[in-house]
Amino acid sequence: MVSTLTTLDWILVASYFVFALSIALYFYSRAGKNTTEFFLSGRNMPWWIIGTSMVATTFAADTPLAVTEMVALDGIAGNWLWWNFLMGGMLTVFFFARLWRRSGVLTDVEFIELRYAGKQAAWLRGIKAIYFGLLMNIIILGWVSLAMESIFNVLFPGMTLFGQEAFNFLGIHISAPLLLVGFLIIFVGFFSLISGLWGVAVTDIFQFVIALGGTIVLAVYAVNIPEIGGIAGLQEKLPPETFQFLPTIGQTAEGVAVLSLSFGAFAAYFGVQWWSSWYPGAEPGGGGYVAQRIMSAKDEKHALFATLWFNIAHYCLRPWPWIIVALVSLVLYPNLADSREGFVLVMRDVLPPGLLGLLFAAFLAAFTSTFAAHLNWGTSYLVNDFWRRFIKPDEDEKHYVFVSRVVTFLLAILAFFVTTQLSTIREAWGLVLTASGGLGLVLILRWYWWRINAWSELAASLTPIFLVVLVLLGVPVPGIQDPFPMNLYYVVAITTVIWLLVTFLTKPTDHKKLTLFFRKVRPGGPGWKPLQEENPDIEDDGELMPLLYNWVAGVVLVYMALFGFGHFLFGNYGSFAMCLVAGLLALGYLYWDLSKRGFDTIIEVEDFDHKRDASEAGQ
């Protein structure tokens, strides 16, 4: 194995592992008290830890590599594949964060039996626990691991382990770099099963700082090497279309289409994907590990500010160092067979000893953070919403904590084997987004329209999966066979028609269940008018228009900060000034409106977990 790391680099890497393991051991006894401590940190976490933990979780080893792949294919505008999620994220901030905290559930899958009634609700809860906690989760963990393998391949060319370049296990070909990823997965699994959410979240703070700091250092070094010559040199060496933030329409250069995102793809991202598809960390209506973090908050105020900080940091602080490095890689390595490797090649060839070790440790931190969070989140589904709900409902807390630790480790092993079957990160993203196309609207409306029932959500969950399976089996389905994201138009349309038909052809949720849900969660808006009239003693959240204005202001604020910083970097100072003014106006409105409405009427802290246990025992 040829290593590009020096002794100093390895000392920094070893220091990271010692620190992470120390944090895990510190929280071992606390995590073992009960499942609320293990999965939700006792519901006593402050907003800044929660928000930063969310950001660290979404900064996986695959993220900078995927951004590099997007920039290589479509220029900076290619990032709309994930920039569009901001609009759904801001919905969570103002419409859903306080409702999630108010619900008192342990997982967002448990929410199903808080909102719906009957055997269909139980079936839906069990199916989603297995589908998202196991099947979807190990695919996500697989592509995160795939990115880590790419990093090892570049940093350690010709790697061998135990004198071999590859291994065969049960007929599966495993390269030496991938086997090393397997050892790393075992470490993360051990870390997660002993630390619980507190250990994961506290370590996330450290991981976020070194990961963000490391990529900023890399971007500064990379853009200033003689081969690039600063930002101005970078702009001279690449086509101007590469630097556009929005897609071009019908532009060509000497008869050849220029590098830029197509308008049809942009419209699919900006107009359809963010509200229609499920994606970890960007679920419409909140959900997944974002909901898990929200429900660990001290109160509703901390829940709202945690998600607001997450969206600001996620979209404003992190993208530009990745994008700058991706652009540098296009200049230095223009003919790469795998464009993802460009990011790691820049690391290897640009950074001096010490800094290379720091950034390698940052990637290890990013991998650990995301992998640990997904293990904890997926295990919460499998234990709380499947094992506890359907298999062993009457055991004590020590039993469930023990099962949680076993499941955490087994998930890690399964994720490793899934990694051996994946090829590209971008394709995996597209598959996940397509297989949930149309589900998002139900996840939003179930909070604000009483007529949504368990059959609605079941139809919306299964229809896009069925359509994707048909295509994978070679069945010619017009439109669905189109490449992502153009296929979203058809998948979302078909799924929406089906779940609407199912909604009106099936009975509404039991009225008693709807009443209990309304009185507990107190959602506002016209969709709950019948329940509002029947329960005049309940003060709900009222009109939705103020929340809508907050949402618009939040979206404007973050996009203006994102694009303003980009314009500043590339010397477009007039555009930077306009973004700055618009962003400040949006920030001013948010501050004025939130201060006016105040947060003095936070819901009282309740014994959520005792109530949950009693409720499930009676089902």
Side-chain angles (χ1 to χ4, degrees):
M1 179 180 72
V2 179
S3 175
T4 55
L5 273 67
T6 66
T7 302
L8 176 59
D9 295 320
W10 284 115
I11 290 173
L12 290 171
V13 171
S15 299
Y16 161 71
F17 280 107
V18 170
F19 179 84
L21 191 58
S22 299
I23 292 292
L25 292 172
Y26 178 81
F27 285 104
Y28 173 75
S29 59
R30 179 167 182 170
K33 289 181 180 178
N34 52 57
T35 51
T36 303
E37 283 288 352
F38 191 84
F39 294 124
L40 294 182
S41 67
R43 302 187 194 270
N44 195 36
M45 201 175 285
W47 67 268
W48 59 274
I49 291 181
I50 299 170
T52 306
S53 179
M54 291 179 191
V55 183
T57 299
T58 55
F59 185 172
D62 68 296
T63 320
L65 276 63
V67 167
T68 303
E69 187 178 5
M70 293 172 204
V71 172
L73 289 173
D74 297 313
I76 292 176
N79 285 280
W80 279 103
L81 174 63
W82 66 283
W83 282 349
N84 75 85
F85 285 133
L86 167 67
M87 293 179 286
M90 279 296 166
L91 278 182
T92 301
V93 173
F94 298 110
F95 283 86
F96 303 110
R98 290 183 297 161
L99 299 183
W100 274 117
R101 181 61 180 83
R102 203 177 289 171
S103 71
V105 294
L106 187 71
T107 70
D108 61 318
V109 174
E110 182 183 326
F111 171 84
I112 290 168
E113 289 196 284
L114 176 68
R115 174 62 175 82
Y116 311 127
K119 291 183 179 179
Q120 62 269 31
W123 273 101
L124 178 61
R125 180 177 177 181
I127 289 171
K128 295 193 79 167
I130 297 297
Y131 177 67
F132 289 110
L134 178 62
L135 300 178
M136 193 68 76
N137 198 31
I138 60 175
I139 291 174
I140 296 164
L141 291 173
W143 82 53
V144 170
S145 303
L146 186 67
M148 204 66 222
E149 182 192 11
S150 296
I151 294 169
F152 286 144
N153 272 324
V154 175
L155 290 183
F156 310 116
M159 172 186 285
T160 61
L161 286 178
F162 312 114
Q164 297 188 55
E165 295 182 355
F167 304 83
N168 284 297
F169 180 74
L170 299 177
I172 301 173
H173 181 79
I174 303 174
S175 67
L178 185 56
L179 186 60
L180 187 57
V181 172
F183 291 142
L184 185 58
I185 286 173
I186 291 173
F187 168 79
V188 179
F190 177 71
F191 166 82
S192 302
L193 67 87
I194 66 175
S195 68
L197 185 61
W198 259 116
V200 170
V202 171
T203 310
D204 280 347
I205 304 296
F206 170 71
Q207 292 165 340
F208 172 70
V209 171
I210 65 170
L212 180 62
T215 52
I216 290 173
V217 169
L218 174 61
V220 172
Y221 264 85
V223 80
N224 286 299
I225 62 175
E227 295 89 338
I228 301 298
I231 293 291
L234 188 64
Q235 290 174 295
E236 291 174 0
K237 293 175 176 62
L238 292 171
E241 296 81 13
T242 310
F243 297 88
Q244 291 182 345
F245 302 165
L246 297 174
T248 56
I249 305 175
Q251 293 186 17
T252 59
E254 298 179 358
V256 180
V258 299
L259 175 72
S260 184
L261 181 73
S262 72
F263 181 77
F266 172 76
Y269 294 149
F270 195 78
V272 179
Q273 179 184 305
W274 67 269
W275 57 264
S276 67
S277 293
W278 180 95
Y279 187 81
E283 300 87 345
Y289 58 76
V290 169
Q292 182 192 32
R293 299 299 195 275
I294 290 170
M295 291 180 286
S296 71
K298 289 182 176 181
D299 52 39
E300 294 173 32
K301 178 180 179 181
H302 282 266
L304 187 149
F305 280 115
T307 48
L308 181 59
W309 163 238
F310 161 58
N311 280 278
I312 291 172
H314 182 52
Y315 295 100
C316 299
L317 295 183
R318 299 190 318 179
W320 288 111
W322 299 340
I323 292 171
I324 293 298
V325 176
L327 294 171
V328 169
S329 74
L330 295 182
V331 176
L332 297 181
Y333 320 104
N335 299 311
L336 279 179
D338 185 351
S339 57
R340 293 174 302 166
E341 294 184 350
F343 194 99
V344 192
L345 286 168
V346 174
M347 284 173 51
R348 186 194 69 184
D349 297 341
V350 167
L351 291 177
L355 288 179
L356 178 57
L358 175 66
L359 196 59
F360 181 49
F363 267 98
L364 291 172
F367 174 83
T368 303
S369 172
T370 299
F371 210 96
H374 273 273
L375 287 179
N376 188 275
W377 163 64
T379 300
S380 73
Y381 283 8
L382 296 173
V383 174
N384 184 68
D385 299 300
F386 185 75
W387 185 266
R388 183 175 194 162
R389 174 65 180 87
F390 299 103
I391 308 300
K392 293 285 186 178
D394 300 316
E395 300 292 334
D396 59 22
E397 284 296 312
K398 289 187 179 297
H399 168 83
Y400 296 122
V401 172
F402 172 76
V403 172
S404 299
R405 286 173 165 155
V406 172
V407 170
T408 297
F409 189 76
L410 292 177
L411 267 181
I413 300 301
L414 280 173
F416 171 72
F417 285 106
V418 168
T419 306
T420 66
Q421 307 303 309
L422 293 178
S423 57
T424 73
I425 299 169
R426 197 172 189 271
E427 286 180 5
W429 281 19
L431 179 64
V432 168
L433 291 165
T434 302
S436 60
L439 170 63
L441 194 57
V442 172
L443 300 182
I444 291 171
L445 290 178
R446 65 184 182 175
W447 292 95
Y448 288 105
W449 186 25
W450 69 273
R451 191 60 181 83
I452 296 289
N453 60 27
W455 295 114
S456 312
E457 190 166 334
L458 192 60
S461 299
L462 297 180
T463 300
I465 298 172
F466 177 72
L467 294 173
V468 168
V469 170
L470 286 180
V471 172
L472 293 177
L473 292 175
V475 179
V477 185
I480 311 300
Q481 294 175 300
D482 291 353
F484 178 83
M486 304 305 293
N487 59 357
L488 280 182
Y489 294 111
Y490 301 94
V491 174
V492 171
I494 293 170
T495 301
T496 301
V497 169
I498 289 176
W499 76 253
L500 280 172
L501 286 173
V502 168
T503 299
F504 289 109
L505 290 174
T506 55
K507 294 181 180 180
T509 299
D510 177 73
H511 191 74
K512 181 180 178 182
K513 173 66 75 170
L514 288 174
T515 301
L516 290 172
F517 176 79
F518 176 76
R519 294 183 68 86
K520 182 178 182 65
V521 180
R522 310 194 313 272
W528 289 95
K529 187 175 180 180
L531 279 299
Q532 292 164 345
E533 293 174 349
E534 294 175 8
N535 298 272
D537 59 312
I538 295 298
E539 184 179 351
D540 60 41
D541 282 345
E543 296 296 324
L544 301 183
M545 289 308 294
L547 303 182
L548 184 62
Y549 297 149
N550 289 159
W551 173 74
V552 172
V555 169
V556 170
L557 169 63
V558 176
Y559 276 142
M560 291 302 99
L562 172 65
F563 299 140
F565 189 65
H567 285 305
F568 181 80
L569 278 176
F570 297 123
N572 306 321
Y573 298 118
S575 298
F576 164 70
M578 288 189 289
C579 289
L580 180 63
V581 171
L584 288 174
L585 288 173
L587 178 62
Y589 174 80
L590 278 178
Y591 180 80
W592 169 79
D593 188 64
L594 293 176
S595 298
K596 179 185 68 174
R597 287 193 282 134
F599 293 94
D600 297 329
T601 56
I602 299 299
I603 190 173
E604 299 85 359
V605 176
E606 299 185 54
D607 187 359
F608 290 132
D609 304 295
H610 173 76
K611 293 183 177 183
R612 184 187 71 250
D613 296 343
S615 174
E616 292 191 350
Q619 289 174 354

